[in-house]
Amino acid sequence: MRISKKLEQAHAKEDKPTFSFEFFVPKTSQGVQNLYDRMDRMYGLGPQFIDVTWNAGGRLSNLTTEIVDTSQSIIGLDTCMHLTCTGMPKKLVEDALRDAYNSGCQNILALRGDPPTDTEKWQATEGGFSYAKDLVKYIRAEYGDYFDIGVAAYPEGTDEEPDVDLLIEHLKEKCDAGADFIITQMFYNVDKFLAWVTKCRAAGITIPIIPGIMPISTHASFLRRANWCKINIPQNFHDALEPVKNDDMAVRELGTKLVADMCQKMLDSGEIKHLHFYTMNLEKATIMVLEDLKIIQPNTSANPPLPWRQSLALGRQDETVRPIFWKNRKQSYINRTQDWDEFPNGRWGDSRSPAYGELENYGRFLRYSSGQSQDLWGEPTSIKDIGNLFAKYVSGDVKSLPWSDSPISNEVELIKPQLIDLNSRGFLTINSQPAINGVKSSDPVHGWGPKNGYVYQKAYLELLVSPKVLATIVERIGVDGNLTYYSVNKDGELSFNVNDNSPNAVTWGIYPGKEVIQPTIVEKISFLAWKDEAFGLGEEWASCYPSSSKSRELIDSIVNSWHLINIVNNDFHDQLGIFDIFEGLTAVEN
Amino acid sequence: MRISKKLEQAHAKEDKPTFSFEFFVPKTSQGVQNLYDRMDRMYGLGPQFIDVTWNAGGRLSNLTTEIVDTSQSIIGLDTCMHLTCTGMPKKLVEDALRDAYNSGCQNILALRGDPPTDTEKWQATEGGFSYAKDLVKYIRAEYGDYFDIGVAAYPEGTDEEPDVDLLIEHLKEKCDAGADFIITQMFYNVDKFLAWVTKCRAAGITIPIIPGIMPISTHASFLRRANWCKINIPQNFHDALEPVKNDDMAVRELGTKLVADMCQKMLDSGEIKHLHFYTMNLEKATIMVLEDLKIIQPNTSANPPLPWRQSLALGRQDETVRPIFWKNRKQSYINRTQDWDEFPNGRWGDSRSPAYGELENYGRFLRYSSGQSQDLWGEPTSIKDIGNLFAKYVSGDVKSLPWSDSPISNEVELIKPQLIDLNSRGFLTINSQPAINGVKSSDPVHGWGPKNGYVYQKAYLELLVSPKVLATIVERIGVDGNLTYYSVNKDGELSFNVNDNSPNAVTWGIYPGKEVIQPTIVEKISFLAWKDEAFGLGEEWASCYPSSSKSRELIDSIVNSWHLINIVNNDFHDQLGIFDIFEGLTAVEN
């Protein structure tokens, strides 16, 4: 969504300040992965949007659009992409805008960019742009009102141009070229800032001005950045920080107070309603300021609109149904379905046809290197070892599994002892959900969707089962009239007890004035697409161990001979019935 | 569905005889309406299909296709249309087949037809057909495998052709021309019939033979028909009936036993699995035979697939969602939506656009004449009178209302005292449903859909409210966070408290291995379409009384000044909360 519209809506709804985070492009792949994890966590704080900086020209420039895409598609954050224009061939600008468009990103911060270090002077590339205002005009001409366009402002001048009044003239030109909002350079002197805002307004600049806030982490970095940006540091900052400059903890605590006070002063002025934080890709300092200001608006705990995180990618905004299989691998699901023309909106129905992306196109499955995998999951040499590892994941002592990117969710509490018991007997559970027979949609653990609703789930289990016990389990499923299942091995031998191919809704919600929402399903075609990924994950895990090792042999034998089975207890009044079919069985004789 | 396929499925599923009913075209409109009511009741007995006879050439021939259409579309019975070919211009045959096709009818009984009485000889019209086999060939050529084609057979010969062997040759020709099944003339001599079947099989006739059974109502009609058809009456029939021929009741009871015995003998032979009854448009005699045979398979009590009767009209078979407003006027709903290209299948969503048929095209609303209406609903002269009439409908003492074609359903028991109380206070309830918080889908009153499911309903009330209390009621609805409403008067002044225009599912079911089924909704556009009909019904009711009468004035004043309001209690855990908003109120001061 466009930032200006989003802020307008937020401030119309509630008289509470809003905020956003800026991240820069990390230098390594592992850094990118860590940033994604951090963005995912900071989503929970409820930012209105995030910014991702631009890395002009370098090999990292593609990374900007990749991070923007991930932020929009997978993390579900409205994103503003920085885009610099000097030294940029026009083709690169075009590509970047098109990539942003395709990601569903609707916000561009149009920047001039730093001069190349070798020439120390700005110069336009052939057919390129000389000024940010040219880029603003170009975006507006090419994309109409699709993008919100932000521009930068320097309340205390820049290194090259200390004349603030002249800079306001330039800013006015950028506004006149079509900008929608302004984000400022960092500063610490609120009085100077507010006086500058008044000057801007007097100069006819009417669009929202968003102050850029740099939290204070260490004394050294604080001074370095302030000096680099040539900004004024008020005396009270010096007075407070100088005496404790060697005590990082004290600097951070006092710094938090100082920055929060300056934010509060801006908010109290009535001129400012939104704060933009330069996070420097760190969480702690920003969170401390937000906590001091008491304006964190948690995104996750209350009522997420659906039981899974919505994607903001272009064409995906209406997506309301997903198969349960990728519950713990949402990134993979989004990647594999990114070429779908249409997402199931409320029913699986007509979108059953699009093929899931071929696995080969999505690279390896496992997030971790061989070494990391061994560190995380040890060197199992028996089914019992693996069962215990899975049991530790269920109990929360292990934070991920090859089949689960993130720690197990709170909802497992209802069936934790049963899952631990199953795994300790060698039934390797890779996915599950408890039965929920109508709890309020506001329930802190199981709730989702609008208020005054009720949510439901059918108990679900997905596990790897040794061929020795498969027949017994399938027979017991057949006797129970409420259980449905699909089972498949690596070679694709499929069995099931479902009459037609209609999807089975395993999560649904009932709300005032609405149709039934049924966001999670079990369904054959998607199970077969998941099956290749599930066995592929096992193979990759095996290959983390040396080829002659006991661990590799063990995991390979599971992948090659065991069956992946999913079971739904359709009687959602019955929490533990699904476990009865395993009574007295163990996966293998030991 | 094609009869041959339907019977094949029924007999594969269960080793139990099946049956069907034949109806003829009544001579008056009232007779047609009575036949529809009878067909609707006999639907409940579970026939595999019904036959409707053809009225060649006469002014009634359109009535055949109209009855076929109603049977398929509204009553939901698979229907076989008789079609005679001699004396029929080819254009009429073409029209009849196209009408049948458009009704979703897939079964034609291809007949030669009786010779015109003036010539006493069959003769083909120009370009027409001379023999039934020509008609069979024509249908097969024009429609491929779309239609199941039945042909008639005469096990004891006909008036014109007593040579049974020659008739078997003709029958074989009709089979070779493409017939799918055979229905026989009535008979009472089972031995002769079974011998004839053996001869047919020996002659190479392999398609199913369905015996036509004529139950015995009175002694006179029994003799007359047997004589007319020139069929043999076994001695035991004479011996049993002759002594009691003047006692209609005894004739019917003994006749039932005799006919049931002959049916049982045929079923025991193993050759016959399906019985076709010539009902003569009467219920009792046929039902008595079926009861004696113990083969009635009630269609309604156990598990109808949806909470409303499915239509078998072409293009409507996948219809799975209807607005609640027409709950008691299904014929009107089907008529008004018959031109829709597509019916909502599982969600209201994309089919919101088709306009409901304009009311003018569907004639008057009220089923009854002025006299009948007065007989049914008296001559009310006060709101209290009308309230009492409505209360009597709720209690079952009045069988219909202008807004309800049929008696109130059993489900009302849960809220009966509340509805009676409301009406007695002048709140005129024209539709309602109780809240159901998950009862088994097999529940005899509220259940529908596949087994092992759970069904739910939100409490619903639709009523006419005097302007005096409307504001209070709307205010009280607003205070309760769980109630949503739409209110409109005759002039179209609409108010509501629903945020968006999404449909509100008020009935839904959860089943093993399926998406949530949500067959009944409340929704703005359809409410506005219903509103015109609802006020129109009131106007027609008013016009049943003389123009200067107190009754007309009273009903007209309600139509012209009261509001039609529908209210949903979205908290389906709460049965009676919806009635709280009427506490202490009466519709008018008396």
Side-chain angles (χ1 to χ4, degrees):
Chain A
M1 189 189 272
R2 293 178 55 158
I3 287 172
S4 57
K5 192 172 168 196
K6 196 159 187 187
L7 296 185
E8 196 181 304
Q9 285 183 1
H11 299 146
K13 198 174 153 196
E14 206 180 357
D15 189 24
K16 201 170 174 183
T18 52
F19 53 88
S20 49
F21 303 136
E22 182 162 316
F23 299 102
F24 64 82
V25 176
K27 294 208 166 20
T28 66
S29 301
Q30 189 63 50
V32 172
Q33 188 60 60
N34 289 343
L35 177 62
Y36 289 158
D37 289 345
R38 183 150 290 167
M39 285 161 64
D40 204 24
R41 283 193 299 272
M42 291 180 84
Y43 173 100
L45 302 171
Q48 292 294 315
F49 65 94
I50 63 151
D51 269 30
V52 178
T53 62
W54 182 251
N55 278 67
R59 65 170 181 83
L60 299 174
S61 66
N62 285 342
L63 258 182
T64 296
T65 51
E66 183 189 311
I67 293 171
V68 167
D69 187 53
T70 299
S71 172
Q72 287 275 140
S73 304
I74 294 167
I75 303 176
L77 285 164
D78 271 305
T79 305
C80 177
M81 183 179 81
H82 291 207
L83 182 58
T84 60
C85 63
T86 56
M88 282 272 288
K90 198 165 176 188
K91 171 82 168 54
L92 268 190
V93 171
E94 288 168 3
D95 290 351
L97 288 171
R98 201 192 49 247
D99 286 348
Y101 181 93
N102 288 336
S103 301
C105 166
Q106 286 200 276
N107 303 284
I108 306 290
L109 190 72
L111 298 165
R112 187 178 200 187
D114 298 322
T117 45
D118 52 348
T119 64
E120 303 243 332
K121 282 197 63 151
W122 275 292
Q123 55 185 36
T125 57
E126 211 175 308
F129 306 91
S130 300
Y131 298 101
K133 65 180 176 188
D134 301 330
L135 181 57
V136 173
K137 281 180 197 162
Y138 173 79
I139 298 171
R140 191 61 79 217
E142 291 293 310
Y143 285 89
D145 280 338
Y146 181 80
F147 286 114
D148 234 35
I149 306 174
V151 291
Y154 306 88
E156 303 189 21
T158 70
D159 202 8
E160 296 78 17
E161 183 50 75
D163 183 343
V164 171
D165 293 335
L166 185 62
L167 285 170
I168 289 179
E169 277 178 41
H170 292 165
L171 181 61
K172 178 69 166 60
E173 287 170 14
K174 291 195 276 190
C175 295
D176 292 345
D180 297 293
F181 63 92
I182 293 160
I183 296 184
T184 77
Q185 173 67 288
M186 60 178 280
F187 58 87
Y188 290 114
N189 190 322
V190 176
D191 294 328
K192 282 183 88 150
F193 168 73
L194 290 173
W196 173 82
V197 170
T198 305
K199 271 190 173 178
C200 288
R201 297 305 184 211
I205 293 169
T206 56
I207 59 176
I209 294 172
I210 296 173
I213 313 294
M214 178 76 77
I216 296 170
S217 290
T218 67
H219 192 249
S221 66
F222 160 68
L223 287 184
R224 189 173 62 241
R225 286 190 202 119
N227 186 46
W228 188 66
C229 295
K230 301 271 190 304
I231 58 166
N232 173 261
I233 297 176
Q235 191 56 45
N236 65 319
F237 276 65
H238 284 302
D239 294 347
L241 297 176
E242 186 66 28
V244 297
K245 64 181 178 185
N246 294 320
D247 179 350
D248 283 355
M249 192 62 85
V251 167
R252 183 171 276 191
E253 275 176 21
L254 286 169
T256 296
K257 190 81 193 97
L258 291 164
V259 173
D261 283 349
M262 64 172 271
C263 289
Q264 193 60 54
K265 198 167 172 184
M266 284 190 282
L267 297 171
D268 291 343
S269 78
E271 186 67 49
I272 298 302
K273 290 175 174 169
H274 182 91
L275 305 168
H276 184 67
F277 288 89
Y278 296 113
T279 66
M280 303 311 290
N281 288 11
L282 300 171
E283 283 173 88
K284 191 70 189 163
T286 299
I287 290 177
M288 285 171 72
V289 173
L290 286 171
E291 284 177 343
D292 198 272
L293 287 166
K294 298 188 174 57
I295 58 172
I296 290 181
Q297 308 191 318
N299 224 336
T300 48
S301 63
N303 258 5
L306 288 172
W308 34 263
R309 183 89 58 84
Q310 280 182 301
S311 172
L312 301 178
L314 190 70
R316 274 198 108 112
Q317 288 95 336
D318 293 333
E319 183 185 15
T320 57
V321 179
R322 288 188 188 172
I324 197 170
F325 312 116
W326 284 269
K327 180 181 169 192
N328 302 316
R329 284 180 59 79
K330 63 184 176 189
Q331 186 158 354
S332 165
Y333 181 72
I334 288 170
N335 285 339
R336 292 189 60 185
T337 58
Q338 70 187 3
D339 293 330
W340 287 17
D341 291 334
E342 195 185 342
F343 290 89
N345 58 343
R347 302 180 61 238
W348 198 244
D350 298 337
S351 290
R352 227 179 292 180
S353 48
Y356 285 84
E358 288 302 323
L359 283 176
E360 297 78 55
N361 302 337
Y362 299 100
R364 39 198 319 279
F365 306 125
L366 228 45
R367 289 177 61 143
Y368 303 104
S369 67
S370 297
Q372 287 172 322
S373 297
Q374 291 185 31
D375 287 349
L376 283 165
W377 304 317
E379 294 180 38
T381 56
S382 67
I383 300 296
K384 200 166 183 60
D385 285 352
I386 296 184
N388 287 339
L389 172 66
F390 276 61
K392 276 185 190 161
Y393 175 74
V394 173
S395 65
D397 298 326
V398 166
K399 298 300 176 199
S400 75
L401 282 183
W403 292 270
S404 299
D405 285 345
S406 44
I408 201 154
S409 78
N410 286 346
E411 69 166 10
V412 79
E413 290 301 331
L414 294 173
I415 49 173
K416 200 183 236 181
Q418 289 75 21
L419 289 180
I420 290 175
D421 175 50
L422 269 191
N423 283 297
S424 68
R425 286 190 277 146
F427 292 100
L428 307 177
T429 65
I430 68 175
N431 200 350
S432 66
Q433 73 174 18
I436 301 294
N437 182 16
V439 304
K440 286 271 183 190
S441 58
S442 55
D443 185 272
V445 176
H446 307 287
W448 52 273
K451 64 179 182 173
N452 286 336
Y454 292 94
V455 302
Y456 294 80
Q457 292 179 178
K458 293 177 179 176
Y460 176 77
L461 262 188
E462 183 180 331
L463 61 168
L464 289 162
V465 168
S466 72
K468 168 181 155 305
V469 286
L470 182 71
T472 307
I473 287 171
V474 166
E475 190 191 319
R476 291 183 181 181
I477 289 172
V479 171
D480 184 315
N482 286 310
L483 302 181
T484 47
Y485 83 100
Y486 289 92
S487 167
V488 70
N489 66 5
K490 190 184 156 209
D491 295 334
E493 285 169 27
L494 181 73
S495 73
F496 51 91
N497 69 339
V498 188
N499 277 332
D500 51 26
N501 284 327
S502 86
N504 187 354
V506 293
T507 304
W508 65 99
I510 314 294
Y511 301 94
K514 294 211 174 298
E515 288 187 273
V516 179
I517 304 175
Q518 33 190 332
T520 315
I521 58 160
V522 165
E523 187 259 344
K524 186 170 88 178
I525 291 172
S526 49
F527 180 59
L528 290 177
W530 163 247
K531 162 243 160 186
D532 292 331
E533 188 169 330
F535 284 107
L537 282 161
E539 284 176 343
E540 284 194 11
W541 184 26
S543 68
C544 291
Y545 301 95
S547 56
S548 57
S549 67
K550 186 107 193 208
S551 293
R552 178 184 268 199
E553 199 177 286
L554 172 69
I555 300 169
D556 268 339
S557 80
I558 291 175
V559 169
N560 291 326
S561 68
W562 288 33
H563 288 249
L564 181 67
I565 184 168
N566 72 59
I567 308 166
V568 176
N569 186 349
N570 290 282
D571 188 348
F572 51 97
H573 294 208
D574 177 8
Q575 184 62 273
L576 299 178
I578 198 169
F579 296 100
D580 292 348
I581 51 172
F582 300 97
E583 205 171 294
L585 300 179
T586 52
V588 287
E589 350 236 4
N590 272 334
Chain B
M1 189 189 270
R2 294 178 56 157
I3 287 173
S4 57
K5 192 173 169 195
K6 196 159 185 187
L7 296 186
E8 196 181 304
Q9 285 182 1
H11 299 146
K13 198 173 153 197
E14 206 181 359
D15 190 23
K16 201 170 173 183
T18 52
F19 52 88
S20 48
F21 302 136
E22 183 162 316
F23 300 102
F24 63 82
V25 177
K27 294 208 165 24
T28 67
S29 300
Q30 190 62 52
V32 171
Q33 189 60 60
N34 289 342
L35 176 62
Y36 289 158
D37 290 345
R38 183 151 291 166
M39 285 161 64
D40 204 23
R41 284 194 299 273
M42 292 181 82
Y43 173 100
L45 302 171
Q48 292 293 316
F49 64 95
I50 64 150
D51 269 32
V52 179
T53 62
W54 183 251
N55 278 67
R59 65 170 181 85
L60 298 174
S61 66
N62 284 343
L63 257 182
T64 295
T65 51
E66 185 190 311
I67 294 172
V68 167
D69 187 52
T70 300
S71 173
Q72 288 273 141
S73 303
I74 295 166
I75 302 176
L77 284 165
D78 271 304
T79 305
C80 177
M81 181 179 82
H82 291 206
L83 182 59
T84 60
C85 62
T86 58
M88 283 271 287
K90 198 166 175 188
K91 173 81 169 56
L92 268 190
V93 172
E94 288 168 3
D95 290 351
L97 288 171
R98 200 193 48 247
D99 287 347
Y101 181 93
N102 288 335
S103 302
C105 167
Q106 287 199 275
N107 302 284
I108 306 290
L109 190 71
L111 298 165
R112 187 179 198 184
D114 298 323
T117 44
D118 52 347
T119 64
E120 305 243 332
K121 283 198 60 153
W122 276 291
Q123 55 185 36
T125 57
E126 212 176 307
F129 307 90
S130 302
Y131 299 102
K133 66 180 176 187
D134 299 331
L135 181 57
V136 173
K137 279 181 197 161
Y138 173 79
I139 299 172
R140 192 60 79 217
E142 291 293 310
Y143 286 89
D145 279 339
Y146 181 80
F147 286 114
D148 235 35
I149 305 172
V151 291
Y154 306 89
E156 302 190 21
T158 70
D159 202 8
E160 296 79 16
E161 185 50 74
D163 183 344
V164 171
D165 293 335
L166 185 60
L167 285 170
I168 289 179
E169 275 177 41
H170 292 166
L171 181 61
K172 178 71 166 59
E173 286 171 15
K174 292 196 276 189
C175 295
D176 292 344
D180 297 294
F181 63 92
I182 294 161
I183 296 184
T184 78
Q185 173 68 285
M186 61 176 281
F187 58 87
Y188 290 114
N189 190 320
V190 176
D191 294 327
K192 282 183 87 151
F193 167 74
L194 290 174
W196 173 83
V197 170
T198 305
K199 269 189 172 177
C200 288
R201 296 305 184 212
I205 294 170
T206 55
I207 59 177
I209 295 173
I210 296 173
I213 314 294
M214 178 76 78
I216 296 170
S217 290
T218 67
H219 193 249
S221 66
F222 161 67
L223 286 183
R224 190 173 63 243
R225 286 191 202 116
N227 186 45
W228 188 67
C229 295
K230 300 273 191 308
I231 57 166
N232 174 261
I233 298 176
Q235 193 55 43
N236 65 321
F237 276 64
H238 285 301
D239 293 348
L241 298 175
E242 185 67 26
V244 296
K245 64 181 176 186
N246 294 320
D247 180 349
D248 284 356
M249 192 61 87
V251 167
R252 182 171 276 191
E253 274 175 22
L254 285 169
T256 296
K257 188 81 196 102
L258 290 165
V259 173
D261 283 350
M262 65 173 270
C263 290
Q264 193 60 54
K265 197 166 172 182
M266 284 190 282
L267 297 172
D268 291 344
S269 78
E271 186 68 48
I272 298 302
K273 289 176 174 170
H274 182 92
L275 305 168
H276 185 67
F277 288 89
Y278 296 114
T279 67
M280 304 310 289
N281 288 10
L282 302 171
E283 284 173 85
K284 191 68 191 163
T286 299
I287 290 177
M288 285 171 71
V289 173
L290 286 173
E291 284 178 341
D292 198 272
L293 287 166
K294 299 187 173 59
I295 58 173
I296 291 183
Q297 309 192 314
N299 225 336
T300 48
S301 62
N303 260 3
L306 288 171
W308 34 263
R309 183 87 57 83
Q310 279 183 300
S311 171
L312 301 178
L314 190 70
R316 274 197 106 112
Q317 289 95 335
D318 293 333
E319 182 185 15
T320 56
V321 179
R322 287 187 188 173
I324 197 169
F325 313 116
W326 285 268
K327 180 180 169 192
N328 302 315
R329 284 180 58 79
K330 63 183 176 189
Q331 186 158 355
S332 166
Y333 181 72
I334 288 170
N335 285 337
R336 292 189 61 185
T337 58
Q338 69 187 2
D339 293 331
W340 288 16
D341 291 336
E342 195 185 342
F343 289 89
N345 59 342
R347 302 179 61 238
W348 197 244
D350 298 336
S351 290
R352 228 180 294 179
S353 50
Y356 286 84
E358 289 301 322
L359 284 176
E360 298 77 56
N361 301 338
Y362 299 100
R364 36 197 321 278
F365 307 126
L366 229 46
R367 290 178 59 145
Y368 304 104
S369 68
S370 298
Q372 288 171 321
S373 297
Q374 291 185 32
D375 288 348
L376 281 166
W377 304 317
E379 293 180 37
T381 56
S382 66
I383 301 295
K384 200 167 181 60
D385 286 351
I386 296 185
N388 287 339
L389 171 65
F390 276 62
K392 276 185 190 160
Y393 175 74
V394 173
S395 65
D397 297 327
V398 166
K399 299 300 178 202
S400 76
L401 282 184
W403 293 271
S404 298
D405 287 346
S406 43
I408 201 154
S409 77
N410 286 345
E411 68 167 10
V412 79
E413 289 301 331
L414 294 173
I415 49 174
K416 201 183 235 179
Q418 289 75 21
L419 289 179
I420 290 175
D421 174 50
L422 270 190
N423 283 297
S424 68
R425 287 189 278 146
F427 292 100
L428 308 176
T429 65
I430 68 175
N431 200 351
S432 66
Q433 73 174 16
I436 301 294
N437 181 16
V439 305
K440 286 270 183 189
S441 57
S442 56
D443 184 271
V445 177
H446 307 286
W448 52 272
K451 65 178 182 174
N452 286 335
Y454 292 93
V455 302
Y456 294 79
Q457 293 180 181
K458 293 176 179 178
Y460 176 78
L461 261 188
E462 183 180 332
L463 61 168
L464 290 162
V465 168
S466 72
K468 169 182 158 303
V469 286
L470 182 71
T472 308
I473 287 171
V474 166
E475 191 192 318
R476 291 182 182 182
I477 288 173
V479 171
D480 185 314
N482 286 309
L483 301 180
T484 48
Y485 84 99
Y486 290 91
S487 167
V488 71
N489 66 5
K490 190 184 156 208
D491 296 333
E493 286 168 27
L494 181 73
S495 73
F496 51 90
N497 69 339
V498 188
N499 277 334
D500 51 26
N501 284 326
S502 86
N504 187 353
V506 294
T507 303
W508 64 99
I510 314 295
Y511 301 94
K514 293 210 175 299
E515 287 187 275
V516 179
I517 305 174
Q518 33 190 334
T520 315
I521 57 160
V522 165
E523 187 261 343
K524 187 170 87 176
I525 291 171
S526 50
F527 180 59
L528 290 177
W530 163 246
K531 161 244 164 188
D532 291 332
E533 187 169 331
F535 285 106
L537 282 161
E539 284 176 342
E540 285 195 10
W541 184 26
S543 68
C544 291
Y545 301 95
S547 57
S548 57
S549 66
K550 185 106 193 208
S551 293
R552 179 185 267 197
E553 201 177 285
L554 172 69
I555 300 170
D556 268 338
S557 80
I558 290 175
V559 169
N560 290 324
S561 67
W562 287 33
H563 289 248
L564 181 68
I565 184 167
N566 72 59
I567 308 167
V568 177
N569 186 350
N570 290 283
D571 188 348
F572 51 96
H573 294 207
D574 176 9
Q575 183 63 272
L576 300 178
I578 198 169
F579 296 100
D580 291 347
I581 51 173
F582 301 97
E583 205 171 292
L585 301 179
T586 53
V588 287
E589 349 235 5
N590 272 332

